Amino acid sequence: MKSISRRALTLYLLVIVFLAGSFLAYYRLATNADKWAMNKANRHLYIDGGFTAGDISDRNGTLLAATEDGVRTYNKDAVIRAATLQTVGDGEGYIASGVQTAFKDELTGYTLTDGIFNLKRYGKGNNIALTLDADICKAAYNAMNGRDGVVGVMNYKTGEIVCIVSTPSYDPLNKPSEEKEGMYLNKFFKGLYTPGSTFKIITLASAIENIPNLEDITFNCNGKNGKGQVQIGEGYVYCSGVHKNIMIEKAFNQSCNSAFATLADTLGKERLTATAEKAGFNTQMNKINGRISCSMSTLKLNDAKALDLGWAGIGQYTTLVNPCHMLTLISSIANGGTAVEPYIVSSITTPNEKVLYTAKTQTVGEYFSPTVAQELKEYMRSNVKNNYGDYRFAGLQMCGKTGTAEISDSEDAKPNALFAGFSSNPDYPFAIIVVVENSSYSIGTAVPVATKVMAAVKNAYS
């Protein structure tokens, strides 16, 4: 009996080892098969056999990347190549969030079940159509005029991203010999910026939700030598102007730090955080097309003192925002409070035109109530009409908010300039985010970039 028991135990152990080994092998196959298939050592399987990676085109069918005679090539226009590089990606995989890296299996036609069978059958990988408009991206790249930063434009009704420009960039057919910091980073997806006064949109939304008769409150912004200030806790929040006694609409128009620091102090940590988190702060966004992750926007006030809270209310302190998230947030205001998921891949098709994937509009949730969204829209519309100038955005009925974000205590450091806004003209349902790094005040830098880009959007959709 003991002998039989030992044999049975041995058999059980062998079965367990076999099952564990099978599970491990399957797991490794599922997670690494594409890497093994695409390993450089196996290139003879698909290059010598005639395989070429599929095409990447923009929304109008303009080719952004293709393979000719076994060599990956790009659009004939050098500016378009540089303008779309961070989204299309490079052939070497340095730009991790580029389509050529994030969707390499689809472009090569590889599948877990069929391996590279389709590569041999068609002699070509799958084609990917993007939501980008190459001409709008070119206009945005030119508008940045060699400055570092990011521009993003999205249809706030559908979630289609029609423009992503992240600089510095480079021409993939003429790569510079010296690498520049940030040239492999798509800042639209991976960047994090101090929001500056664009965060006043959140502070205003929280005030609308929680402070009765907000429009009747008078805020004090006193000072001298052209600098206003307000005491919050044991210190002061400073303002770029002396606005004296000011009401909320004008305070938003003039971006009065004193007024918005006072609002943050009145609201308190919990209510300001609740509004921000409902609008997507401190929450990881869904991956773009299920593949490309975005950095998370954060508002951390747990350890903030009263003065810290005041600075947070004007978009300083430790607050950080991701451009893709900010564009989603701005789009939700234009869309009555409901946020839609942004996406860049509209379809994937095989060489024989079989549709493998078609993107669909999906909602994220309600960032703001319809009432709050409408009031924010009116305040942002007032900004453009009464401060930035409607003439800058002819025919768009533009709504927006600038931000000048201090990023260093050094007197020589230049701030980042931001603009976030949207067209309320239903013929042009597009929102925009602009960040110009190490710049100056937004009205002279970020707003002109937005003006040129939105003009290109209007031209493309007229």
Side-chain angles (χ1 to χ4, degrees):
M1 290 296 293
K2 290 182 179 180
S3 176
I4 295 175
S5 297
R6 283 196 295 270
R7 291 175 182 174
L9 180 60
T10 300
L11 182 60
Y12 288 143
L13 289 174
L14 288 173
V15 170
I16 291 172
V17 170
F18 174 78
L19 291 175
S22 299
F23 175 80
L24 179 61
Y26 178 78
Y27 174 78
R28 294 189 65 194
L29 177 66
T31 55
N32 296 307
D34 59 337
K35 296 179 183 178
W36 296 336
M38 301 305 157
N39 191 284
K40 291 181 179 180
N42 294 328
R43 282 181 176 267
H44 64 283
L45 292 175
Y46 49 93
I47 291 181
D48 294 341
F51 161 69
T52 56
D55 300 339
I56 300 175
S57 59
D58 80 346
R59 65 183 302 104
N60 300 311
T62 302
L63 277 179
L64 302 178
T67 307
E68 298 177 1
D69 299 325
V71 177
R72 199 67 171 159
T73 188
Y74 300 86
N75 189 276
K76 295 180 179 180
D77 188 319
V79 179
I80 288 179
R81 292 198 296 267
T84 59
L85 174 67
Q86 302 293 344
T87 306
V88 172
D90 62 326
E92 299 164 292
Y94 290 119
I95 303 174
S97 58
V99 168
Q100 295 199 105
T101 299
F103 292 85
K104 67 179 184 296
D105 287 356
E106 287 80 1
L107 281 169
T108 58
Y110 169 85
T111 66
L112 180 61
T113 54
D114 295 333
I116 61 170
F117 174 76
N118 288 327
L119 313 186
K120 304 295 289 185
R121 179 169 63 173
Y122 295 123
K124 182 181 180 181
N126 300 316
N127 300 320
I128 294 181
L130 303 182
T131 59
L132 292 188
D133 186 303
D135 291 330
I136 297 175
C137 291
K138 181 178 179 178
Y141 188 84
N142 286 333
M144 290 296 285
N145 195 27
R147 295 167 295 191
D148 292 349
V150 62
V151 180
V153 180
M154 183 173 87
N155 184 318
Y156 56 74
K157 292 294 184 183
T158 65
E160 297 166 286
I161 304 172
V162 300
C163 173
I164 297 175
V165 168
S166 178
T167 53
S169 185
Y170 62 91
D171 181 350
L173 297 185
N174 188 24
K175 188 176 178 180
S177 56
E178 294 186 8
E179 296 182 4
K180 186 174 181 181
E181 184 179 357
M183 63 187 283
Y184 297 130
L185 180 68
N186 190 328
K187 298 173 182 176
F188 181 74
F189 296 129
K190 301 299 185 180
L192 283 171
Y193 292 96
T194 299
S197 291
T198 59
F199 188 80
K200 289 173 182 172
I201 294 170
I202 295 295
T203 306
L204 178 58
S206 191
I208 293 170
E209 293 171 338
N210 295 292
I211 300 177
N213 303 316
L214 176 64
E215 66 279 2
D216 297 328
I217 297 175
T218 300
F219 300 92
N220 298 315
C221 180
N222 298 309
K224 56 183 179 180
N225 300 323
K227 296 288 185 180
Q229 65 182 32
V230 64
Q231 184 170 1
I232 304 291
E234 298 180 355
Y236 291 88
V237 171
Y238 298 96
C239 190
S240 59
V242 179
H243 301 113
K244 297 184 179 180
N245 299 323
I246 191 170
M247 310 292 278
I248 188 61
E249 181 177 354
K250 190 173 181 181
F252 194 64
N253 288 169
Q254 298 297 317
S255 203
C256 177
N257 288 349
S258 298
F260 279 84
T262 300
L263 281 177
D265 184 49
T266 302
L267 288 164
K269 300 178 186 179
E270 291 76 15
R271 291 192 291 188
L272 185 59
T273 299
T275 300
E277 290 186 342
K278 184 181 178 185
F281 280 81
N282 301 334
T283 300
Q284 185 65 57
M285 289 181 64
N286 290 338
K287 290 184 177 181
I288 307 300
N289 288 105
R291 294 295 179 83
I292 301 172
S293 61
C294 294
S295 296
M296 183 171 66
S297 298
T298 57
L299 175 69
K300 302 296 185 182
L301 299 178
N302 291 340
D303 300 323
K305 298 178 181 179
L307 182 59
D308 299 329
L309 179 59
W311 283 108
I314 66 170
Q316 294 290 156
Y317 187 46
T318 60
T319 308
L320 294 171
V321 69
N322 168 258
C324 185
H325 167 241
M326 177 57 85
L327 188 60
T328 305
L329 188 158
I330 293 299
S331 294
S332 73
I333 298 171
N335 211 28
T338 300
V340 295
E341 281 195 0
Y343 64 94
I344 57 170
V345 172
S346 61
S347 66
I348 302 174
T349 56
T350 65
N352 65 342
E353 299 184 353
K354 177 183 177 182
V355 178
L356 300 177
Y357 168 81
T358 301
K360 297 179 180 179
T361 298
Q362 299 185 63
T363 60
V364 178
E366 187 180 85
Y367 274 13
F368 306 98
S369 71
T371 300
V372 171
Q374 180 59 34
E375 290 197 44
L376 290 174
K377 179 178 179 180
E378 291 171 2
Y379 280 113
M380 294 173 71
R381 181 77 184 107
S382 175
N383 261 0
V384 176
K385 289 194 296 184
N386 299 320
N387 190 18
Y388 315 138
D390 245 353
Y391 70 92
R392 296 178 183 270
F393 304 99
L396 293 174
Q397 301 168 28
M398 201 71 179
C399 309
K401 183 72 188 79
T402 56
T404 303
E406 302 293 338
I407 55 175
S408 173
D409 293 332
S410 172
E411 293 183 359
D412 297 329
K414 294 183 179 180
N416 290 340
L418 301 91
F419 178 81
F422 60 88
S423 165
S424 61
N425 184 334
D427 293 334
Y428 309 103
F430 294 94
I432 184 170
I433 178 69
V434 175
V435 182
V436 183
E437 298 173 12
N438 303 310
S439 182
S440 60
Y441 288 102
S442 303
I443 195 72
T445 52
V447 171
V449 171
T451 298
K452 293 175 182 178
V453 176
M454 291 305 293
V457 171
K458 183 182 176 185
N459 181 64
Y461 287 87
S462 293

Tab-separated table of all heavy atoms in Angstrom, residues 413-442:
chain	number	residue	atom	x	y	z
A	413	ALA	N	14.412	82.649	-14.819
A	413	ALA	CA	13.558	81.618	-15.420
A	413	ALA	C	12.330	82.237	-16.066
A	413	ALA	O	11.711	83.151	-15.517
A	413	ALA	CB	13.137	80.610	-14.359
A	414	LYS	N	11.994	81.734	-17.242
A	414	LYS	CA	10.799	82.194	-17.938
A	414	LYS	C	9.650	81.227	-17.672
A	414	LYS	O	9.862	80.019	-17.603
A	414	LYS	CB	11.064	82.294	-19.442
A	414	LYS	CG	12.075	83.365	-19.813
A	414	LYS	CD	12.234	83.445	-21.320
A	414	LYS	CE	13.216	84.538	-21.707
A	414	LYS	NZ	13.380	84.618	-23.183
A	415	PRO	N	8.421	81.736	-17.548
A	415	PRO	CA	7.280	80.858	-17.269
A	415	PRO	C	6.820	80.121	-18.516
A	415	PRO	O	7.211	80.457	-19.640
A	415	PRO	CB	6.205	81.845	-16.799
A	415	PRO	CG	6.527	83.099	-17.547
A	415	PRO	CD	8.029	83.154	-17.632
A	416	ASN	N	6.007	79.099	-18.309
A	416	ASN	CA	5.319	78.455	-19.414
A	416	ASN	C	4.027	79.213	-19.705
A	416	ASN	O	3.359	79.682	-18.786
A	416	ASN	CB	4.982	77.002	-19.082
A	416	ASN	CG	6.208	76.121	-19.011
A	416	ASN	OD1	7.264	76.456	-19.538
A	416	ASN	ND2	6.080	74.978	-18.348
A	417	ALA	N	3.700	79.327	-20.975
A	417	ALA	CA	2.470	79.998	-21.381
A	417	ALA	C	1.473	78.960	-21.886
A	417	ALA	O	1.831	78.067	-22.658
A	417	ALA	CB	2.754	81.020	-22.476
A	418	LEU	N	0.212	79.057	-21.439
A	418	LEU	CA	-0.815	78.088	-21.826
A	418	LEU	C	-2.063	78.784	-22.340
A	418	LEU	O	-2.371	79.919	-21.957
A	418	LEU	CB	-1.207	77.206	-20.634
A	418	LEU	CG	-0.135	76.364	-19.961
A	418	LEU	CD1	0.514	77.130	-18.805
A	418	LEU	CD2	-0.718	75.044	-19.450
A	419	PHE	N	-2.775	78.083	-23.196
A	419	PHE	CA	-4.118	78.497	-23.600
A	419	PHE	C	-4.958	77.250	-23.770
A	419	PHE	O	-4.545	76.290	-24.425
A	419	PHE	CB	-4.116	79.283	-24.910
A	419	PHE	CG	-5.502	79.673	-25.375
A	419	PHE	CD1	-6.143	80.781	-24.848
A	419	PHE	CD2	-6.178	78.900	-26.317
A	419	PHE	CE1	-7.422	81.135	-25.249
A	419	PHE	CE2	-7.464	79.243	-26.736
A	419	PHE	CZ	-8.088	80.361	-26.194
A	420	ALA	N	-6.142	77.263	-23.172
A	420	ALA	CA	-7.096	76.157	-23.317
A	420	ALA	C	-8.439	76.756	-23.711
A	420	ALA	O	-8.915	77.685	-23.051
A	420	ALA	CB	-7.222	75.382	-22.011
A	421	GLY	N	-9.039	76.248	-24.767
A	421	GLY	CA	-10.303	76.829	-25.195
A	421	GLY	C	-11.021	75.973	-26.219
A	421	GLY	O	-10.557	74.892	-26.596
A	422	PHE	N	-12.144	76.463	-26.694
A	422	PHE	CA	-12.930	75.732	-27.683
A	422	PHE	C	-13.810	76.686	-28.471
A	422	PHE	O	-14.148	77.794	-28.023
A	422	PHE	CB	-13.801	74.659	-27.018
A	422	PHE	CG	-14.788	75.193	-26.006
A	422	PHE	CD1	-16.061	75.615	-26.380
A	422	PHE	CD2	-14.443	75.270	-24.668
A	422	PHE	CE1	-16.960	76.103	-25.448
A	422	PHE	CE2	-15.328	75.762	-23.720
A	422	PHE	CZ	-16.592	76.182	-24.115
A	423	SER	N	-14.178	76.249	-29.669
A	423	SER	CA	-15.121	76.989	-30.497
A	423	SER	C	-16.542	76.592	-30.102
A	423	SER	O	-16.870	75.408	-30.061
A	423	SER	CB	-14.893	76.673	-31.978
A	423	SER	OG	-15.992	77.097	-32.761
A	424	SER	N	-17.381	77.598	-29.812
A	424	SER	CA	-18.774	77.291	-29.497
A	424	SER	C	-19.660	77.364	-30.746
A	424	SER	O	-20.869	77.162	-30.656
A	424	SER	CB	-19.309	78.248	-28.419
A	424	SER	OG	-19.264	79.594	-28.863
A	425	ASN	N	-19.051	77.626	-31.897
A	425	ASN	CA	-19.774	77.567	-33.164
A	425	ASN	C	-19.989	76.092	-33.503
A	425	ASN	O	-19.015	75.348	-33.672
A	425	ASN	CB	-18.963	78.257	-34.261
A	425	ASN	CG	-19.697	78.313	-35.594
A	425	ASN	OD1	-20.559	77.473	-35.881
A	425	ASN	ND2	-19.365	79.290	-36.412
A	426	PRO	N	-21.232	75.632	-33.605
A	426	PRO	CA	-21.484	74.199	-33.837
A	426	PRO	C	-20.905	73.675	-35.140
A	426	PRO	O	-20.759	72.455	-35.303
A	426	PRO	CB	-23.019	74.104	-33.814
A	426	PRO	CG	-23.500	75.486	-34.104
A	426	PRO	CD	-22.493	76.405	-33.510
A	427	ASP	N	-20.574	74.573	-36.069
A	427	ASP	CA	-19.957	74.132	-37.324
A	427	ASP	C	-18.503	73.710	-37.129
A	427	ASP	O	-17.941	73.015	-37.985
A	427	ASP	CB	-20.023	75.248	-38.369
A	427	ASP	CG	-21.444	75.553	-38.812
A	427	ASP	OD1	-22.304	74.640	-38.726
A	427	ASP	OD2	-21.699	76.699	-39.234
A	428	TYR	N	-17.913	74.146	-36.021
A	428	TYR	CA	-16.505	73.837	-35.743
A	428	TYR	C	-16.362	73.357	-34.300
A	428	TYR	O	-15.840	74.070	-33.439
A	428	TYR	CB	-15.626	75.071	-35.985
A	428	TYR	CG	-15.847	75.714	-37.329
A	428	TYR	CD1	-16.598	76.889	-37.437
A	428	TYR	CD2	-15.343	75.139	-38.494
A	428	TYR	CE1	-16.814	77.484	-38.667
A	428	TYR	CE2	-15.558	75.728	-39.728
A	428	TYR	CZ	-16.304	76.898	-39.814
A	428	TYR	OH	-16.534	77.475	-41.035
A	429	PRO	N	-16.813	72.147	-34.006
A	429	PRO	CA	-16.811	71.646	-32.615
A	429	PRO	C	-15.442	71.139	-32.172
A	429	PRO	O	-15.234	69.946	-31.946
A	429	PRO	CB	-17.837	70.513	-32.674
A	429	PRO	CG	-17.688	69.970	-34.067
A	429	PRO	CD	-17.394	71.156	-34.934
A	430	PHE	N	-14.507	72.087	-32.017
A	430	PHE	CA	-13.137	71.699	-31.706
A	430	PHE	C	-12.615	72.455	-30.485
A	430	PHE	O	-12.896	73.638	-30.303
A	430	PHE	CB	-12.215	71.958	-32.899
A	430	PHE	CG	-12.535	71.088	-34.080
A	430	PHE	CD1	-13.378	71.536	-35.081
A	430	PHE	CD2	-12.015	69.804	-34.166
A	430	PHE	CE1	-13.696	70.724	-36.170
A	430	PHE	CE2	-12.324	68.987	-35.243
A	430	PHE	CZ	-13.169	69.439	-36.244
A	431	ALA	N	-11.858	71.732	-29.667
A	431	ALA	CA	-11.197	72.310	-28.496
A	431	ALA	C	-9.698	72.258	-28.722
A	431	ALA	O	-9.190	71.415	-29.479
A	431	ALA	CB	-11.571	71.530	-27.237
A	432	ILE	N	-8.966	73.155	-28.042
A	432	ILE	CA	-7.525	73.260	-28.255
A	432	ILE	C	-6.792	73.458	-26.938
A	432	ILE	O	-7.311	74.094	-26.019
A	432	ILE	CB	-7.200	74.420	-29.225
A	432	ILE	CG1	-5.687	74.480	-29.534
A	432	ILE	CG2	-7.688	75.764	-28.664
A	432	ILE	CD1	-5.331	75.442	-30.662
A	433	ILE	N	-5.604	72.884	-26.853
A	433	ILE	CA	-4.684	73.141	-25.740
A	433	ILE	C	-3.336	73.521	-26.344
A	433	ILE	O	-2.868	72.882	-27.288
A	433	ILE	CB	-4.531	71.911	-24.801
A	433	ILE	CG1	-3.520	72.204	-23.672
A	433	ILE	CG2	-4.126	70.673	-25.561
A	433	ILE	CD1	-3.969	73.190	-22.659
A	434	VAL	N	-2.749	74.586	-25.822
A	434	VAL	CA	-1.428	75.047	-26.268
A	434	VAL	C	-0.555	75.256	-25.037
A	434	VAL	O	-0.992	75.863	-24.059
A	434	VAL	CB	-1.516	76.374	-27.057
A	434	VAL	CG1	-0.116	76.888	-27.390
A	434	VAL	CG2	-2.341	76.208	-28.320
A	435	VAL	N	0.666	74.741	-25.080
A	435	VAL	CA	1.670	75.030	-24.058
A	435	VAL	C	2.942	75.465	-24.771
A	435	VAL	O	3.467	74.728	-25.614
A	435	VAL	CB	1.984	73.806	-23.176
A	435	VAL	CG1	2.991	74.194	-22.099
A	435	VAL	CG2	0.724	73.233	-22.546
A	436	VAL	N	3.418	76.662	-24.453
A	436	VAL	CA	4.693	77.150	-24.983
A	436	VAL	C	5.646	77.253	-23.796
A	436	VAL	O	5.443	78.078	-22.905
A	436	VAL	CB	4.549	78.508	-25.684
A	436	VAL	CG1	5.892	78.930	-26.278
A	436	VAL	CG2	3.485	78.451	-26.779
A	437	GLU	N	6.660	76.427	-23.789
A	437	GLU	CA	7.565	76.340	-22.640
A	437	GLU	C	8.556	77.503	-22.591
A	437	GLU	O	8.970	78.016	-23.642
A	437	GLU	CB	8.338	75.020	-22.682
A	437	GLU	CG	7.460	73.788	-22.596
A	437	GLU	CD	8.239	72.503	-22.810
A	437	GLU	OE1	9.493	72.551	-22.796
A	437	GLU	OE2	7.606	71.444	-23.001
A	438	ASN	N	8.937	77.876	-21.362
A	438	ASN	CA	9.966	78.902	-21.151
A	438	ASN	C	9.710	80.119	-22.026
A	438	ASN	O	10.570	80.562	-22.786
A	438	ASN	CB	11.360	78.319	-21.432
A	438	ASN	CG	11.639	77.101	-20.584
A	438	ASN	OD1	11.456	77.113	-19.371
A	438	ASN	ND2	12.063	76.019	-21.229
A	439	SER	N	8.530	80.647	-21.889
A	439	SER	CA	8.060	81.700	-22.784
A	439	SER	C	7.864	83.000	-22.007
A	439	SER	O	8.745	83.446	-21.288
A	439	SER	CB	6.767	81.230	-23.443
A	439	SER	OG	6.288	82.169	-24.347
A	440	SER	N	6.699	83.562	-22.140
A	440	SER	CA	6.356	84.789	-21.420
A	440	SER	C	4.857	84.758	-21.193
A	440	SER	O	4.251	83.688	-21.188
A	440	SER	CB	6.782	86.023	-22.215
A	440	SER	OG	6.128	86.064	-23.471
A	441	TYR	N	4.238	85.894	-21.040
A	441	TYR	CA	2.811	85.907	-20.771
A	441	TYR	C	2.026	85.337	-21.948
A	441	TYR	O	2.337	85.582	-23.112
A	441	TYR	CB	2.356	87.327	-20.444
A	441	TYR	CG	2.839	87.782	-19.082
A	441	TYR	CD1	3.921	88.642	-18.952
A	441	TYR	CD2	2.231	87.293	-17.923
A	441	TYR	CE1	4.384	89.030	-17.696
A	441	TYR	CE2	2.686	87.668	-16.666
A	441	TYR	CZ	3.761	88.535	-16.561
A	441	TYR	OH	4.219	88.898	-15.321
A	442	SER	N	0.990	84.593	-21.619
A	442	SER	CA	0.267	83.793	-22.607
A	442	SER	C	-0.371	84.608	-23.713
A	442	SER	O	-0.468	84.152	-24.855
A	442	SER	CB	-0.810	82.962	-21.901
A	442	SER	OG	-0.233	82.151	-20.911
